[in-house]
Amino acid sequence: GIQALEAVTTQLVAAIHSNEHGKDTLKTRHGDIVLSDRYLPFRPLVYGGDDVTFVCDGRLGLDLATAYLQAFEAHTAADGQPLRACAGISIVKVHYPFARAYETSEALCQKAKRFVRDICSTENAASFSALDWHIAASGLVGTLSEIRQREYTVDAGELIMRPVRLRSHESDWRTWPGFTQVVDQFKESTDWKDRRNKIYALREVLRKGDIAVQEFLTTYGLKHLPTFPETNSTEPKTLSAKGWFGERCGYFDAIEALDFYSSLTST
């Protein structure tokens, strides 16, 4: 656990450089983040063996959490077995009550653990690391389950793909690499780059289900939505053509995270 924290800190420090104005900035894949002071925007608060809590700049929350999980997985347990872990990330405004944000993160972590247990029990699969997150642009009213029922459940099903696996998987589209690939395409591809009104229009269309998404694609002359990594199933192609796979949406999470997610992996 300590080595994983050190790895995250090292990655964060390596991303710092001075811009043309002499300001310390963090170099990210989609632009620099100017640091307001000489302190790292990363503070470990709790370390209890396999239980770690840290606070950071909200735009780095998802990236640093996954960096920690990846660094943690790089080690093995005393019995030689691979290490796995789950994370819950709560992204809130600076003056939001910390205890409430912490409570939400714990609830998110429990959802990620339940996601792992459910898949392992139903598919007789090996354990894996997973994460879940919530972005509170304003406040949080109600429990996490109540919020998701109220804000992320529509007639077509669930708008969110969360929780997700940390690593790519041969037969599952609900993965962190899939999420980041879609975010990158929304931010960088010629169909979507600098076209936020178009992306936000898609966000509203997604609420109406796959038929509305197909009509949206026809209206804008698009062959498909951003693509997910290929698997040995039909899931990625179905998602890019309809926006939904079964009763779960594949794109709402990425659109919601566009302004709240930065990756320290530079271009």
Side-chain angles (χ1 to χ4, degrees), residues 71-84:
F72 188 78
E73 279 194 347
H75 302 278
T76 56
D79 60 2
Q81 296 299 309
L83 291 173
R84 300 291 182 261

Side-chain angles (χ1 to χ4, degrees), residues 34-72:
V34 178
L35 301 179
S36 59
D37 52 40
R38 300 288 295 181
Y39 297 98
L40 285 177
F42 172 73
R43 311 287 173 84
L45 298 180
V46 175
Y47 174 71
D50 61 352
D51 185 9
V52 174
T53 299
F54 62 76
V55 177
C56 64
D57 184 306
R59 292 165 293 183
L60 302 175
L62 293 171
D63 196 55
L64 295 185
T66 54
Y68 178 86
L69 292 177
Q70 291 163 355
F72 188 78

